[in-house]
Amino acid sequence: MALLSLSRHAGALPLHRQGPSSSSQLLARPHAISTSSEAMAMHRLSHHRGILPLRRQGPSPRQLLARSRTILAPSQPTEEDKKTEEDEKPTEEDTKTEEDEKESSPPPVSWVQRSLEAARPYAMLARLDKPIGSWLLAWPCMWSLTMAAMPGALPDLKMLALFGCLTIPMRGAACTVNDLFDRNIDNKVERTKSRPLASGALTPTQGLCFFGVQLLLGLGVGFLLQLNNLSRVLGLIWFPLAYSYPLMKRLTFWPQAYLGLSFNYGALLGWAAIKGTLEPTIVLPMYIAGICWTLAYDTIYAHQDIKDDLKVGVKSTAIRFGDSTKHWISAFGTATIGGLALSGYNAGLAWPYYPILAAAAAQLAWQISTVDLTDRADCNRKFVSNNWFGALVFIAIFFGRLAS
């Protein structure tokens, strides 16, 4: 058949099968086969190049079906997609962290906590965190009330409780006024810059309203518990004296003396509340002794701020006395003990009063002689220790009156 096909294209062989008749025919066969191969190659080339007309063929039904399956089939995730999905999955550490955060999240704040947080700046403004001021204001009242008791009798416990309660709002109101005046100075002093008004935790309006509340509370306690008329009059005189003290730091180097007039006013008020009168030979020596006591302990206290006071222009006995401070406060301490001794003698206190007063004098001498005026912490410790001095004097008067 191959030879027949070649014969048709090349014309070298007849249509019927015949063997080669001669050697020339045998030699011509390879040439015919070569010519036929070339013709077939040309035919195929012309078919590809478009020489022969091509039949237009579209995709077969099987191809269309395969294409539709390819389009509709979901795409297979690549290795990168798998890695991304694995990265996005929460790990055990992430799960533990979320659980820890849930466990460590703070519980909801109760109304009690909110109320305490809101009240905190006001408590700081009233110095409730530093009760030493209330004690120093209360002790002269307690001395006077106890000395005014009848010989051999206990002091009036109702009055002791009343004056003890009065000292808290009265001292708080005095501190509030002081901070209102000094808020632009306190923010420049290291020890006082965190006070509520100086730091901005409270506004001046809030401070003024709080002052009014404390003042009304103090007056209400005094009048509701029926102080006598003389005590009420003396109390009204005391108010301007107490609340003008902050101005004295700007006017004189002796603001501690003015503070003494205010803080020891209870020596007059306590006696008047019990007796309804004033006995000058008893109450005046006690009052002067209290003023000298205040000059001693508040000068020590002022040494904490002496450098800052010099910068801002505030005056004090610490600045006035300078290197002579210990000589001055020693003299004030001596006057304190002398005044108390004279007051007790005029009141007719019995002998137990004097040895206990001597113990109080030793405590005062100790703090004056050992205080390091250049050490703020030591100045504060010695200042706070005056609570013991006040308590010893009270005990001395208590037993002196009880034994008289």
Side-chain angles (χ1 to χ4, degrees):
M1 291 297 290
L3 292 173
L4 179 59
S5 175
L6 288 170
S7 66
R8 286 176 182 173
H9 286 284
L13 296 174
L15 294 175
H16 58 272
R17 184 177 182 183
Q18 293 179 346
S21 59
S22 65
S23 60
S24 61
Q25 289 177 341
L26 289 173
L27 293 171
R29 282 182 183 179
H31 176 73
I33 293 169
S34 176
T35 305
S36 176
S37 298
E38 291 177 359
M40 289 180 68
M42 291 296 293
H43 175 74
R44 289 174 183 170
L45 183 59
S46 64
H47 177 74
H48 285 288
R49 292 184 177 178
I51 299 172
L52 297 178
L54 296 175
R55 183 178 63 185
R56 185 177 181 183
Q57 293 181 351
S60 66
R62 290 183 180 179
Q63 292 175 332
L64 290 173
L65 182 60
R67 288 180 183 177
S68 63
R69 287 177 179 173
T70 303
I71 294 171
L72 295 175
S75 60
Q76 295 296 328
T78 63
E79 292 183 1
E80 292 182 358
D81 295 335
K82 290 179 180 179
K83 289 181 180 179
T84 304
E85 290 176 0
E86 290 177 359
D87 293 338
E88 290 177 353
K89 289 180 181 179
T91 61
E92 293 183 2
E93 294 181 357
D94 295 336
T95 306
K96 288 181 181 179
T97 303
E98 291 177 0
E99 291 176 356
D100 293 340
E101 287 178 356
K102 289 179 181 178
E103 292 177 358
S104 63
S105 59
V109 180
S110 67
W111 66 271
V112 176
Q113 290 174 308
R114 290 194 298 270
S115 301
L116 291 175
E117 285 298 319
R120 185 176 181 275
Y122 293 98
M124 300 292 286
L125 184 59
R127 307 286 199 280
L128 295 182
D129 60 321
K130 297 177 180 178
I132 180 61
S134 297
W135 282 113
L136 295 176
L137 181 62
W139 283 128
C141 302
M142 305 302 176
W143 299 345
S144 185
L145 289 169
T146 306
M147 196 173 285
M150 297 297 294
L154 293 173
D156 190 328
L157 298 179
K158 177 185 174 181
M159 284 296 174
L160 287 174
L162 167 63
F163 277 82
C165 293
L166 273 172
T167 57
I168 297 174
M170 292 296 96
R171 185 251 180 162
C175 291
T176 302
V177 170
N178 181 77
D179 287 6
L180 282 168
F181 276 104
D182 291 351
R183 63 184 184 276
N184 294 325
I185 296 175
D186 287 343
N187 58 14
K188 301 173 185 175
V189 177
E190 183 66 26
R191 185 179 59 84
T192 59
K193 65 182 181 181
S194 61
R195 288 177 177 176
L197 289 171
S199 64
L202 293 176
T203 65
T205 302
Q206 290 172 319
L208 191 60
C209 292
F210 185 54
F211 165 73
V213 170
Q214 292 175 100
L215 195 60
L216 289 174
L217 181 61
L219 288 173
V221 171
F223 281 96
L224 286 175
L225 294 178
Q226 299 297 317
L227 289 177
N228 58 45
N229 290 332
L230 178 59
S231 301
R232 293 172 185 173
V233 172
L234 291 173
L236 291 174
I237 295 172
W238 175 78
F239 283 117
L241 187 66
Y243 301 131
S244 59
Y245 159 71
L247 297 175
M248 296 300 108
K249 291 183 285 186
R250 296 160 173 80
L251 301 177
T252 177
F253 283 103
W254 294 84
Q256 280 69 27
Y258 198 84
L259 181 67
L261 294 172
S262 170
F263 253 56
N264 296 279
Y265 201 76
L268 308 178
L269 199 57
W271 185 277
I274 299 296
K275 298 293 189 181
T277 60
L278 287 175
E279 182 59 50
T281 59
I282 297 174
V283 297
L284 287 180
M286 184 187 293
Y287 187 40
I288 294 170
I291 294 171
C292 292
W293 179 43
T294 301
L295 275 164
Y297 69 65
D298 207 55
T299 298
I300 294 174
Y301 185 81
H303 268 274
Q304 295 180 94
D305 305 325
I306 191 168
K307 293 181 180 179
D308 293 323
D309 288 347
L310 287 169
K311 290 178 183 177
V312 299
V314 172
K315 300 176 182 180
S316 70
T317 50
I319 296 173
R320 171 67 179 80
F321 300 154
D323 296 335
S324 303
T325 292
K326 284 204 173 186
H327 298 294
W328 281 92
I329 60 178
S330 296
F332 293 137
T334 303
T336 299
I337 300 302
L340 288 171
L342 179 60
S343 179
Y345 177 80
N346 291 336
L349 298 181
W351 68 268
Y353 172 71
Y354 298 101
I356 303 175
L357 182 63
Q363 197 280 336
L364 189 59
W366 165 79
Q367 59 172 293
I368 293 172
S369 61
T370 61
V371 63
D372 183 357
L373 296 174
T374 62
D375 185 347
R376 288 186 177 185
D378 192 52
C379 287
N380 188 67
R381 281 192 296 269
K382 297 304 190 296
F383 168 74
V384 173
S385 73
N386 280 277
N387 193 31
W388 291 105
F389 175 83
L392 285 170
V393 174
F394 172 76
I395 294 170
I397 296 172
F398 178 84
F399 285 105
R401 177 53 72 202
L402 201 60
S404 60

